[in-house]
Amino acid sequence: MCLHDHTSAPTPGARLPRRGILAGAAALAGISVASIASQLGGAPAAHAGDRPSGPNYPGSPLTNPPLIIEGGTIVDPKTGDAVEDGVVVLDGGKVTAAGTRDETRKAVAAVAGRAQVLNASGRWVLPGLVDVHVHANALADARAILQGGATSVRSGSSSFYQDVALAALPGWAPGVSPRMTPAGLFISPDLGDSLLADPDLAPLATLSGGVKETSDLAYLTRVNLSRGAKVIKTRANPRAGLPEQDPRELVYNQEQLSAVVKAANGAGVLCHAYSAEGIDGAVRAGVRSVEHGVFVSENTIAEMARRGTFFTPTMDAITSMATSTNPILAARGKEYTPILQAAVRAAKEAGVTIVAGTDSFGTDVTPIGTEARLLAEAGLSPLEALQSATVHAARLLGQDDVGRLVRGSLADVVVVDADPLTDASALEKVRVVVAQGAVVRNEL
Ligand SMILES: [Zn+2]
C-alpha cells in the first residue's frame, strides 16, 4: 500500500549479480525455493532439490498432475454467463475444457485416473484474478499475493529486479509465484539503495539532483528494459502515503514523462499520479495507465477515453489511509476517498477502462477481491468489478489467455463461496487458488 517508501526496502548485504537476486530475495524472507516447492501439494518434488539454476541448466521444469474442478458454477467474466454444475479440466498448464458435464466429457475421460479432483459443489468457479499494481520483493510476497487469489500481476516496481526473477519462476516451479509482468526499478528522482541493483546504474550516482534530465530518464528506462522489465513504472507526483510529502506537487512534467514513454519503446508505462496537472501530463505523454489518479479532471478523463488509457484507482491504498494512526494520512484518506470514488464513476461514464490494482507491498497484501469490492462500492456493477480484475486487466497486460476459463486459457482458477455476479464481495471469499496448474490454496 501507499504507506511504504518503495525506494528504501531492506537491502541484501552485497551487490547482487542477476543470478543472486532470487537467492537474495529468498534470504530476505528466510526461505528457499526448494522449501516453497515442497510445500505445494500438487507439485512432485523430483526437481525441487538443491541443484543450482542458471544458464543451460540441464534439469526440466516441475509438472503437475491434471486437475478436474467439478460441480461448481463456472462464471465467464467476459459475458457474465454462468454454467451450473460445471466442470473445468486443467492439463499441461492449460484449460483443456470448461463447461457442462456433457461438453467436458471427452476431456475428463482423457485425464481419468491421473487427475486430482476437486468438488466445488455449491461454489463459484472463476479464472485466476489479476492485480495490475503490486510490489513484490520476496518469495513470501509472491506467496501472499497468490493466497489472495491473484494469479497474474503487473509489478509497480521492485527494489532489486526481484520482480524480473519472480517472472521466471512459473516456467520452472508452477505455483511459486503469480505470473509476473515485471517493471524493474521505479523511474523516480531518488533511486536510494536501488542504485545497487545493477552496475550500469553507477553513472546515475553522479547526479546531484537525482534522475530528472530527459536523457537520464531515458537511460534508466533502458537499463530496466535490458534487465528484463516488460513495463515501466514512473511518477508525476510525490507519494500520498508519506505525511511529509505533498502528492499535489509535481515530480515529472509532461516533457519528462514523454522521455520515459519514448525510451520505453512500446513497453507500457504505468504512472503514479495524483494532481490534475500531473495526471494530465502523464496521459498526454502517452502512459498506458494512470495509477491512483485521485484529482483527475473531466478534461483528462475525456482524453483517457479517447486514447484508451487505463485507470487503476488503487481504491484500497487510498481508503485505508483513513484509518491510519498518523493524523495527516487519516485526513488525506478521508478527503481523498469520496473524490476518488467520484473519479471512478466519471471514468466509467466516459468509457475509460478501470482495472483492479491493490498497490500491495511486500507481504502487506490486500486480496484482489477487496479491491474489486471497493470498486463496486464506488459505482461499478458486480460484473464490471469482476471484469476489472479479469478480462480488462488481462487486456492491459496484453494476455488473451488470462481472465476467462475457456479451452486454451492458462491453468489459473479461483473458487469462491458466493456469487460474484450479484455481489463483488464474493471475490473476497476465496476457497481455492490454482496457479499454473498447481493447487496453492485449498479450503474445500
Ligand atoms: Zn505502488
Side-chain angles (χ1 to χ4, degrees):
M1 301 192 308
C2 266
L3 304 181
H4 309 279
D5 181 348
H6 298 183
T7 58
S8 62
T11 60
R15 183 181 70 75
L16 290 169
R18 188 183 184 110
R19 272 171 290 156
I21 290 169
L22 178 57
L28 283 174
I31 47 181
S32 72
V33 180
S35 74
I36 291 283
S38 65
Q39 287 167 26
L40 293 170
H47 303 285
D50 291 322
R51 287 189 286 169
S53 62
N56 303 314
Y57 183 62
S60 50
L62 291 170
T63 56
N64 288 277
L67 182 66
I68 298 169
I69 303 171
E70 61 175 10
T73 300
I74 303 172
V75 175
D76 184 349
K78 185 176 182 191
T79 60
D81 291 340
V83 175
E84 288 179 22
D85 192 26
V87 179
V88 178
V89 184
L90 309 178
D91 192 18
K94 295 268 176 72
V95 174
T96 57
T100 63
R101 289 194 183 266
D102 222 36
E103 289 163 347
T104 55
R105 203 171 301 281
K106 262 190 185 166
V108 169
V111 298
R114 298 187 289 130
Q116 181 184 357
V117 180
L118 297 180
N119 182 348
S121 298
R123 299 194 163 89
W124 282 259
V125 182
L126 304 162
L129 302 175
V130 186
D131 186 337
V132 303
H133 190 140
V134 302
H135 301 271
N137 287 303
L139 290 168
D141 308 355
R143 183 169 47 190
I145 291 166
L146 283 172
Q147 292 298 310
T151 54
S152 294
V153 299
R154 183 181 61 163
S155 173
S157 74
S158 64
S159 305
F160 294 95
Y161 294 112
Q162 294 100 319
D163 55 354
V164 174
L166 287 167
L169 281 172
W172 281 93
V176 172
S177 168
R179 302 179 195 280
M180 170 73 72
T181 302
L185 307 187
F186 192 17
I187 308 289
S188 181
D190 179 13
L191 287 175
D193 280 323
S194 289
L195 194 65
L196 306 180
D198 192 289
D200 287 344
L201 298 167
L204 301 178
T206 66
L207 308 174
S208 58
V211 185
K212 287 189 170 170
E213 295 292 332
T214 54
S215 57
D216 294 324
L217 288 161
Y219 180 79
L220 178 53
T221 302
R222 289 197 301 271
V223 173
N224 268 348
L225 294 174
S226 74
R227 287 297 303 263
K230 300 299 181 200
V231 290
I232 297 296
K233 167 75 179 301
T234 188
R235 73 193 317 172
N237 299 112
R239 303 178 54 74
L242 296 175
E244 65 274 20
Q245 294 191 6
D246 179 355
R248 288 189 243 195
E249 288 172 2
L250 206 61
V251 175
Y252 291 146
N253 62 24
Q254 184 179 336
E255 186 195 357
Q256 290 164 307
L257 295 172
S258 293
V260 174
V261 171
K262 190 167 172 227
N265 197 26
V269 175
L270 55 157
C271 187
H272 162 114
Y274 280 89
S275 74
E277 181 190 7
I279 299 164
D280 196 69
V283 170
R284 289 174 203 281
V287 303
R288 187 101 169 98
S289 68
V290 169
E291 313 297 298
H292 317 306
V294 176
F295 295 102
V296 66
S297 71
E298 275 193 37
N299 267 344
T300 307
I301 286 175
E303 185 67 12
M304 290 171 74
R306 195 181 72 74
R307 289 172 173 263
T309 313
F310 289 76
F311 182 21
T312 317
T314 64
M315 292 297 315
D316 179 70
I318 305 302
T319 59
S320 63
M321 279 194 296
T323 54
S324 169
T325 52
N326 180 292
I328 295 174
L329 296 185
R332 235 174 234 175
K334 284 173 191 142
E335 180 196 352
Y336 288 12
T337 295
I339 297 170
L340 183 58
Q341 288 173 327
V344 167
R345 289 190 294 274
K348 169 182 158 166
E349 285 301 306
V352 172
T353 304
I354 296 161
V355 285
T358 58
D359 205 3
S360 291
F361 187 94
T363 54
D364 183 8
V365 170
T366 300
I368 185 62
T370 299
E371 182 66 18
R373 188 221 345 128
L374 291 168
L375 286 169
E377 286 173 13
L380 300 195
S381 70
L383 178 59
E384 288 166 339
L386 173 61
Q387 289 172 333
S388 76
T390 52
V391 284
H392 291 339
R395 187 158 60 82
L396 172 57
L397 267 48
Q399 286 200 261
D400 57 10
D401 47 7
V402 164
R404 296 182 78 194
L405 289 175
V406 294
R407 205 163 90 90
S409 299
L410 297 177
D412 302 333
V413 182
V414 296
V415 177
V416 298
D417 263 352
D419 182 359
L421 297 173
T422 57
D423 184 352
S425 74
L427 298 176
E428 296 179 283
K429 302 175 177 78
V430 173
R431 283 273 165 183
V432 173
V433 180
V434 180
Q436 304 125 30
V439 180
V440 297
R441 177 173 177 176
N442 183 3
E443 291 166 20
L444 285 178

